[in-house]
Amino acid sequence: MCGIVGALRKNANVVDFLTDGLARLEYRGYDSAGIAVHNGDEIKRVRRVGRVQNMAQAAHAKNLTGHIGIGHTRWATHGGVTEPNAHPHISGGLISVVHNGIIENFEAERERLQALGYEFNSQTDTEVIAHSIHHEYSQNGGDLYRAVQTASLRFHGAYAIAVICADDPNHMVVARMGCPLLVAFGDDETFIASDVSAVIAFTRKVAYLEDGDIALLSASGIETLLDKQGNVANRNTKISELSLASLELGGHSHFMQKEIYEQPKAVADTAEIFLDGGFVPENFGETARQIFSQINSIKILACGTSYYAALTGKYWLESIAKIRCDVEIASEYRYRDVISDENELIITISQSGETLDTMEALKYAQAQGHKHSLSICNVMESALPRSSSLAIYTRAGAEIGVASTKAFTTQLVILFGLAVTLGHLRGHVSDEQLTNYAEELRLLPGSIQHALNLEPQLSAWAKDFATKPSALFLGRGIHYPIALEGALKLKELTYIHAEAYPAGELKHGPLALVDENMPVVVIAPNDNLLDKVKANMQEVGARGGELFVLTDLDSDFTETDGVHIIRTPRHIGVLSPIVHTIAVQLLSYHVALVRGTDVDKPRNLAKSVTVE
Ligand code: F6R
């Protein structure tokens, strides 16, 4: 969602950094962009609805230059997609602010500030921040840091903000509460960003701020940093390992295509955690052995694709580790009465690590007395792993396409590794079985590679889907979550309505939808449920529905009129859902190409969902 960048450079113009940084944050999803730069005399601002590139052209046309500046990509929450609502916001020509997050009490604050004589030019909650800081600044005799400190005491909600002041061309104040913000250090230059991908073309030295931190920055670095309690604090500087190549297309047409093709490596890198380190609790954190030996059940909280990973993981956890596992959509869990159980392990799954609903669900679980939590996450140092007792990172690398692909398959690898680890620890997996599971994991990247070779066949299918108003995805058992993921991918990439059902549920309602206009994708691996799935397919065929069957090399299907078949590699057993995922990803990608939709940035969606 929204993105923040900022820079203080002693010897260079900041505009190039600000526009480059915002372009690197485009993947998060946004609808308008803007920058504000102090040119030595005053703060100049450019904002535009639409792409960063348009805004960057306008900034160059206006000859914007300066040694200090802030920038923002906005994803509308309070107020429509308009230039007046775009950030940065300016109060009294003096204070300029960019903001991620939501100020929940902005209406009351707006009334208070209006009574003080402030006029509002936007419908945003952010303008409240700008005026509030302006007010405190005028009251305290011109101390920007203290103005941010005092004003922020009034803000309820989540925010990351960066503030510059026309009176001071050498300093910036940043504050964080609930939304990520980092400071990065170059030679005589300091940068800030909500996401490390915005800065790594300039420097890899980064320090992550913590909730409640307020920092005064100059081109030399952090001059003052006070924590939530008002104590002087230090945040460790780390060297980011994110590769620049992962942020570029590298010959592919879209990031989604690149990321689909990166899966053999991403899965192999993630599998290495268990293949090199063994299926041992220590992979999940220093205290994992002790925590794993205390727990008697698991609850997984997640949203979207990560929720479907959780649904798949439940099958492995219950069948391999023999541990009860419930899975819940985070946004539902956080608002219901729950029964606390200190021996239940709460697992959150998130690519970004900053999905607000998942974060709040974790906080809620902890407040209800859940002692143990594990975060499965792709983004290092993000909010969820930092708030959990245990953490393990998928090794997918940066995922830029809004639709999740390699994050999902690597989450599955971790969940499988967790199931085997717990199974062994709890005495349900013998040493011999452990060796077999390791072998299956070792062979997985090769099977994914084979599935990628099916692209031409899936692209041929895509033409049949592109003109249809809806599609149905069916699966059974552990492949039902993959049907759900297939339907989600089709919806978000192509805007075709798609639904997924457990195949056995068809006759209880959705069969009424089936006619010759409804393509039905069936995930039908050669497992113990194949005969059941075949029976469900008969139900579709008898109603004139057209079947698109994803099955394995060794299953005994024959293609007939109205039954199209694509064979993924030979059935690989327990890890089969991961291979079938590749096929549904490629299908949706190709339907999107035929329909000409924006593959990497589907309409209305954002990569990191940091609002409710
Ligand atoms: C779908 C997709 C979303 C995310 C969801 C959770 O392709 O990407 O459904 O999976 O918004 O995001 P994370 O995993 O970052 O918590």
Side-chain angles (χ1 to χ4, degrees):
M1 289 196 151
C2 306
I4 286 181
V5 294
L8 304 106
R9 309 180 84 184
K10 209 174 248 171
N11 306 312
N13 182 11
V14 291
V15 172
D16 286 347
F17 167 78
L18 296 176
T19 52
D20 181 78
L22 290 180
R24 291 186 189 279
L25 296 183
E26 280 191 302
Y27 78 96
R28 296 170 62 91
Y30 71 105
D31 43 53
S32 48
I35 58 174
V37 174
H38 198 310
N39 65 9
D41 296 322
E42 58 179 336
I43 295 176
K44 291 268 190 194
R45 165 176 74 173
V46 172
R47 299 178 295 175
R48 288 289 181 275
V49 165
R51 289 284 149 100
V52 168
Q53 211 193 349
N54 302 340
M55 188 277 297
Q57 275 164 3
H60 286 296
K62 280 194 168 182
N63 220 0
L64 227 64
T65 57
H67 295 295
I68 171 170
I70 51 182
H72 192 262
T73 45
R74 172 173 188 257
W75 192 86
T77 54
H78 294 70
V81 182
T82 62
E83 200 166 301
N85 285 339
H87 302 207
H89 289 278
I90 296 184
S91 177
L94 193 66
I95 302 290
S96 184
V97 174
V98 287
H99 162 226
N100 282 359
I102 287 182
I103 302 302
E104 284 161 5
N105 58 334
F106 86 101
E107 274 161 343
E109 275 297 284
R110 180 193 277 251
E111 277 169 26
R112 182 183 72 88
L113 290 157
Q114 275 167 336
L116 288 168
Y118 284 94
E119 271 183 29
F120 282 78
N121 299 313
S122 78
Q123 301 151 304
T124 64
D125 51 343
T126 305
E127 204 179 355
V128 158
I129 302 179
H131 289 324
S132 191
I133 295 172
H134 182 278
H135 177 64
E136 298 302 333
Y137 183 83
S138 1
Q139 299 290 301
N140 76 16
D143 182 336
L144 182 64
Y145 187 86
R146 207 145 53 81
V148 174
Q149 256 187 326
T150 328
S152 58
L153 295 175
R154 294 187 159 275
F155 307 148
H156 301 167
Y159 55 84
I161 56 174
V163 190
I164 56 172
C165 176
D167 287 345
D168 184 352
N170 299 315
H171 291 96
M172 178 186 299
V173 178
V174 293
R176 166 198 168 146
M177 181 63 81
C179 294
L181 195 62
L182 61 90
V183 183
F185 310 97
D187 291 336
D188 284 337
E189 48 191 18
T190 305
F191 307 101
I192 58 133
S194 50
D195 181 327
V196 71
S197 55
V199 299
I200 58 159
F202 289 77
T203 177
R204 290 184 170 279
K205 277 194 242 165
V206 298
Y208 291 85
L209 296 186
E210 296 199 355
D211 278 349
D213 282 358
I214 302 181
L216 177 70
L217 311 176
S218 70
S220 315
I222 297 177
E223 292 200 351
T224 310
L225 170 54
L226 297 184
D227 67 12
K228 205 171 4 198
Q229 281 79 35
N231 298 322
V232 175
N234 249 323
R235 302 292 168 229
N236 291 340
T237 303
K238 305 186 176 168
I239 305 298
S240 170
E241 285 174 10
L242 192 69
S243 83
L244 207 51
S246 67
L247 306 177
E248 274 148 22
L249 278 169
H252 289 271
S253 313
H254 299 99
F255 280 106
M256 183 182 182
Q257 187 197 33
K258 176 177 180 238
E259 287 158 7
I260 289 174
Y261 274 85
E262 280 172 351
Q263 288 177 108
K265 176 158 176 10
V267 161
D269 289 348
T270 307
E272 217 172 73
I273 298 173
F274 305 103
L275 296 178
D276 285 4
F279 291 96
V280 293
E282 284 67 26
N283 289 323
F284 299 85
E286 277 172 24
T287 53
R289 188 172 289 275
Q290 185 203 341
I291 291 177
F292 286 176
S293 57
Q294 284 171 28
I295 58 168
N296 54 23
S297 66
I298 289 176
K299 185 176 299 294
I300 315 185
L301 306 171
C303 305
T305 287
S306 296
Y307 169 72
Y308 298 147
L311 287 181
T312 316
K314 173 183 164 80
Y315 286 85
W316 289 323
L317 286 161
E318 294 199 339
S319 67
I320 299 174
K322 311 271 183 251
I323 187 161
R324 189 164 59 74
C325 175
D326 294 328
V327 177
E328 283 198 53
I329 290 178
S331 57
E332 286 296 312
Y333 176 83
R334 61 181 285 207
Y335 290 115
R336 69 175 186 82
D337 290 335
V338 300
I339 295 160
S340 82
D341 177 352
E342 60 173 35
N343 293 321
E344 182 168 67
L345 175 67
I346 296 288
I347 301 182
T348 57
I349 306 181
S350 174
Q351 187 287 130
S352 61
E354 60 180 55
T355 300
L356 191 87
D357 280 322
T358 312
M359 191 64 213
E360 291 301 321
L362 172 63
K363 281 191 198 155
Y364 180 60
Q366 287 168 334
Q368 301 306 306
H370 281 95
K371 276 200 315 200
H372 309 304
S373 53
L374 162 67
S375 156
I376 300 176
C377 187
N378 193 40
V379 176
M380 300 299 267
E381 293 291 339
S382 49
L384 279 161
R386 284 152 52 114
S387 308
S388 307
S389 22
L390 303 173
I392 185 163
Y393 290 97
T394 45
R395 295 181 180 171
E399 192 179 66
I400 307 293
V402 164
S404 193
T405 51
K406 59 180 181 169
F408 178 70
T409 45
T410 53
Q411 286 165 353
L412 294 183
V413 170
I414 297 286
L415 285 161
F416 175 74
L418 175 65
V420 176
T421 305
L422 285 175
H424 193 236
L425 197 68
R426 294 160 64 86
H428 300 295
V429 170
S430 66
D431 287 349
E432 192 190 334
Q433 283 170 312
L434 203 67
T435 312
N436 292 341
Y437 285 135
E439 192 52 21
E440 295 191 37
L441 209 44
R442 206 183 307 281
L443 296 176
L444 180 62
S447 303
I448 294 176
Q449 191 60 56
H450 274 100
L452 289 170
N453 296 340
L454 300 172
E455 185 167 12
Q457 296 170 56
L458 289 157
S459 145
W461 273 11
K463 295 181 194 75
D464 289 318
F465 285 74
T467 53
K468 298 289 192 313
S470 308
L472 203 55
F473 284 70
L474 303 177
R476 285 191 91 124
I478 198 168
H479 293 87
Y480 165 53
I482 307 308
L484 286 164
E485 173 61 2
L488 179 63
K489 288 282 98 87
L490 195 72
K491 271 189 271 241
E492 55 185 347
L493 288 167
T494 71
Y495 319 146
I496 293 174
H497 170 245
E499 278 191 75
Y501 270 92
E505 189 65 10
L506 204 55
K507 55 193 171 297
H508 299 292
L511 198 54
L513 293 172
V514 172
D515 64 12
E516 62 287 354
N517 282 321
M518 173 73 88
V520 180
V521 179
V522 189
I523 302 174
N526 193 10
D527 63 11
N528 59 333
L529 292 169
L530 184 59
D531 287 341
K532 305 278 173 210
V533 174
K534 280 183 176 168
N536 302 135
M537 284 170 51
Q538 296 292 339
E539 295 162 3
V540 173
R543 270 101 195 152
E546 200 161 359
L547 288 153
F548 294 82
V549 184
L550 295 168
T551 188
D552 305 323
L553 211 55
D554 44 359
S555 65
D556 59 346
F557 277 103
T558 37
E559 197 153 280
T560 55
D561 261 5
V563 183
H564 312 276
I565 293 173
I566 291 182
R567 292 176 192 280
T568 59
R570 196 167 298 286
H571 184 58
I572 61 161
V574 73
L575 292 171
S576 159
I578 301 182
V579 174
H580 282 273
T581 300
I582 311 299
V584 295
Q585 291 171 347
L586 284 169
L587 177 62
S588 298
Y589 173 70
H590 280 281
V591 180
L593 291 189
V594 179
R595 286 171 67 91
T597 50
D598 189 342
V599 173
D600 284 335
K601 298 186 201 76
R603 68 181 180 201
N604 309 337
L605 299 182
K607 184 68 185 159
S608 291
V609 186
T610 51
V611 296
E612 215 184 321

